[in-house]
């Protein structure tokens, strides 16, 4: 599980304020498909908001810690049934080729007077 500084956590809270929940966890809790969806959300967004439909406060705390532990994410904020987690994007393993395709330069347009001579 990642740890964040107080200033970084404050910045992430401000960014997450406008976000909508990406994943909603039902009363059945975590399943492999929910974990996979959370992982996909973190890969594409880095910072996601999750909504849990569990009424028990202690169970929500355990769920929040378990999500962060399984995904290797940092807990940002937990207010009621809303969780905010953060995981930076992994470095690109496959680099794009550095060579580029060189295109033939287009010839300049000929002016009207160049046709008259």
């Amino acid at each position: 599980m990642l740890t964040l500084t107080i200033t970084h956590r404050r910045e992430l809270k401000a960014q997450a304020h406008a976000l909508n929940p990406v994943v909603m966890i039902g009363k059945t809790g975590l399943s492999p498909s929910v974990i996979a969806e959370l992982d996909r959300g973190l890969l594409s967004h880095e910072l996601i908001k999750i909504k849990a439909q569990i009424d028990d406060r202690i169970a929500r705390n355990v769920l929040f810690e378990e999500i962060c532990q399984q995904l290797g994410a940092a807990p940002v904020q937990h207010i009621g049934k809303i969780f905010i987690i953060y995981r930076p994007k992994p470095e690109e393993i496959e680099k794009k080729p550095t060579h580029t395709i060189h295109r033939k330069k287009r010839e300049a347009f000929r002016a009207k007077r160049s046709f008259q001579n």
Side-chain angles (χ1 to χ4, degrees), residues 6-56:
I6 295 171
T7 55
H8 191 63
R9 181 172 287 149
R10 188 179 304 143
E11 291 171 3
L12 291 173
K13 284 180 187 180
Q15 289 176 5
H17 184 71
L19 295 177
N20 291 325
V22 174
V23 177
M24 294 184 76
I25 301 173
K27 295 186 181 205
T28 58
L30 286 179
S31 65
S33 61
V34 171
I35 293 292
E37 188 64 32
L38 288 170
D39 190 39
R40 265 180 281 183
L42 285 171
L43 283 174
S44 62
H45 299 294
E46 289 186 347
L47 180 70
I48 61 172
K49 192 182 276 191
I50 306 162
K51 186 167 185 175
Q53 299 295 331
I54 301 170
D55 293 328
D56 186 21

Side-chain angles (χ1 to χ4, degrees), residues 2 4 8 42-43 46-47 72-74 86-91:
L2 295 173
L4 302 172
H8 191 63
L42 285 171
L43 283 174
E46 289 186 347
L47 180 70
Y86 170 77
R87 184 178 70 188
K89 289 185 180 180
E91 294 295 325

Side-chain angles (χ1 to χ4, degrees), residues 17 27 36 43 51 61 73 75-76 83 87 95 100 103 114:
H17 184 71
K27 295 186 181 205
L43 283 174
K51 186 167 185 175
N61 287 336
V76 176
F83 309 143
R87 184 178 70 188
K95 296 285 184 179
T100 58
R103 294 184 182 174
S114 67

Side-chain angles (χ1 to χ4, degrees), residues 52-75:
Q53 299 295 331
I54 301 170
D55 293 328
D56 186 21
R57 180 181 294 165
I58 297 169
R60 284 194 307 260
N61 287 336
V62 171
L63 181 68
F64 187 46
E65 291 173 5
E66 187 177 343
I67 289 170
C68 292
Q69 187 69 32
Q70 286 187 14
L71 295 173

